[in-house]
Amino acid sequence: MAEKRTEISDLGEFGLIEHLKRGVNVKQSSTLLGIGDDAAVLAAGDHVKVVTTDMLLEGVHFDLAYAPLHHLGFKAVAVNVSDVAAMNAIPKQITVSLALSNRFSVEAVDALYAGVSVACEHYGVDLIGGDTTASRSGLVISITAIGEGQKETLAYRSGAKVNDIICATGDLGAALVGLQILEREKQVYLANPNMKPQLDKYPYVTRRQLKPDARMDIIHEFKEIGLVPTSMIDISDGLASELFHLCKASEVGVTIYEDKLPIDKETYDTALELGLDPITCVLNGGEDYELLFTIAPKDYPKLEKHPDVHFIGHVTKAEEGKFLVTKSGTAVELKAQGWKHF
Ligand code: ADP
Ligand code: MG
């Protein structure tokens, strides 16, 4: 009899992680939290360490036709710092592992590392090691970030409570729109190499795609104002997908409001120019690296006047489901069409 074969695409990225998690047993008493949140949590004396890792692959996550190497180096650090931020922790160290093909020169690796160094300076982290190997295909960058926090003030995906207020930082959808512009200009260039890419009109969305910044500023502010979110996740796969993760981990439902969703004007206008629905970009665009979190209603005054935190909805009971209330007042069920590579 033929052996059973299950396609990875049948499970999807999140289904596969769930599947792998089932075979994993945690035995060390210092492993406070394993697979399932933005970072693992380890006991470390009077505080806790958080550990997270993310890999970027040429041809899957970036295209060197338009991603400058120094921006790529910065981004590879930022996406890991973003997961540390999502735990309400402070990043301290990173390791950087590279797979390089002979297409790359020392100068190219220097450019990549210049971006890594700028990010280390920006986030206050030390580069403490890594690994270097040859690659037969493209460039692979894998970074692990280690952060520190206090056990009592970490924020998990699982802490949202009914009636909590749902908050999102910054604005959403820009990185996806930026990617579409970069892809469009690449195709124009490939069709006619005499044509110069027209990117000047889209400075914000292209920067958000090429050089995202993790929201450590918000985490430092939480500390200053004495606020601990009841739950938190970073927005790497799209708002809708992250809301699904929060709902699943916290066993709750959510209602969000279309007119509260934050979108930048350049993102909005460019989405329309590309024939995309701006709200779909906000809900399902990937790589925003903003923070999605919930706060107890009593904490609302602490953030009420914050210029970069948006109150997009509230937490409901699980059986009430996940809904988006449109501008016309209709409630439509949310779908998590995250940014899936499978
Ligand atoms: P994020 O988008 O925040 O980086 P992921 O969706 O990549 O999170 O991962 C979710 C959880 O699954 C994390 O705890 C991560 O460490 C874990 N995880 C992802 N891939 C694997 C794997 N291959 N083996 C074990 N754990 C994994
Ligand atoms: Mg994350």
Side-chain angles (χ1 to χ4, degrees), residues 37-330:
D37 215 302
D38 291 293
V41 181
L42 311 179
D46 60 351
H47 66 283
V48 292
K49 299 260 187 213
V50 300
V51 183
T52 179
T53 191
D54 258 303
M55 187 154 51
L56 298 182
L57 271 82
E58 184 177 356
V60 177
H61 299 98
F62 60 87
D63 185 335
L64 291 173
Y66 48 70
L69 283 165
H70 58 283
H71 285 175
L72 189 61
F74 187 97
K75 179 173 178 172
V77 179
V79 303
N80 279 280
V81 168
S82 182
D83 276 322
V84 173
M87 302 303 292
N88 202 28
I90 310 291
K92 298 288 181 183
Q93 290 92 10
I94 58 164
T95 63
V96 179
S97 298
L98 298 177
L100 298 158
S101 68
N102 56 13
R103 257 195 306 130
F104 290 88
S105 62
V106 173
E107 288 73 18
V109 182
D110 281 344
L112 183 73
Y113 261 62
V116 169
S117 290
V118 171
C120 286
E121 190 72 30
H122 180 59
Y123 297 116
V125 298
D126 292 338
L127 171 52
I128 56 161
D131 194 21
T132 306
T133 167
S135 162
R136 295 220 181 168
S137 48
L139 172 65
V140 180
I141 310 163
S142 174
I143 294 191
T144 296
I146 301 162
E148 285 177 12
Q150 296 299 323
K151 200 173 172 186
E152 306 73 40
T153 59
L154 284 190
Y156 300 95
R157 294 179 178 181
S158 57
K161 299 276 177 302
V162 175
N163 293 329
D164 280 357
I165 300 162
I166 305 172
C167 312
T169 60
D171 58 78
L172 302 173
L176 169 68
V177 171
L179 179 64
Q180 303 303 318
I181 287 292
L182 291 162
E183 282 288 340
R184 183 183 77 180
E185 294 304 313
K186 181 188 167 187
Q187 295 312 323
V188 169
Y189 176 80
L190 288 177
N192 180 358
N194 295 322
M195 295 279 287
K196 236 181 93 58
Q198 300 289 315
L199 298 176
D200 300 354
K201 232 183 100 187
Y202 315 98
Y204 184 66
V205 294
T206 49
R207 183 172 58 78
R208 292 278 299 202
Q209 167 58 222
L210 296 173
K211 194 174 178 261
D213 190 8
R215 297 308 305 263
M216 277 313 299
D217 57 326
I218 298 284
I219 302 306
H220 291 297
E221 283 175 25
F222 285 166
K223 218 171 179 177
E224 279 160 29
I225 61 176
L227 176 89
V228 180
T230 52
S231 72
M232 185 151 57
I233 185 168
D234 68 323
I235 307 179
S236 54
D237 294 324
L239 176 65
S241 173
E242 313 306 352
L243 282 167
F244 269 68
H245 285 310
L246 279 192
C247 286
K248 188 163 184 229
S250 297
E251 298 177 35
V252 294
V254 285
T255 298
I256 60 166
Y257 297 87
E258 182 183 354
D259 64 349
K260 306 282 185 210
L261 298 179
I263 182 163
D264 168 80
K265 184 167 184 327
E266 185 185 308
T267 307
Y268 188 92
D269 293 346
T270 312
L272 292 181
E273 183 191 323
L274 291 164
L276 300 169
D277 172 26
I279 294 303
T280 305
C281 295
V282 167
L283 290 172
N284 299 320
E287 303 192 288
D288 291 313
Y289 299 105
E290 295 291 344
L291 294 170
L292 172 69
F293 59 97
T294 54
I295 58 168
K298 70 166 174 56
D299 283 330
Y300 176 68
K302 292 183 187 168
L303 280 181
E304 194 183 357
K305 297 208 167 64
H306 197 292
D308 212 23
V309 172
H310 309 278
F311 307 100
I312 64 169
H314 58 269
V315 178
T316 61
K317 289 186 189 142
E319 56 269 30
E320 289 178 54
K322 301 180 261 296
F323 284 95
L324 168 75
V325 178
T326 65
K327 283 180 184 149
S328 60
T330 324

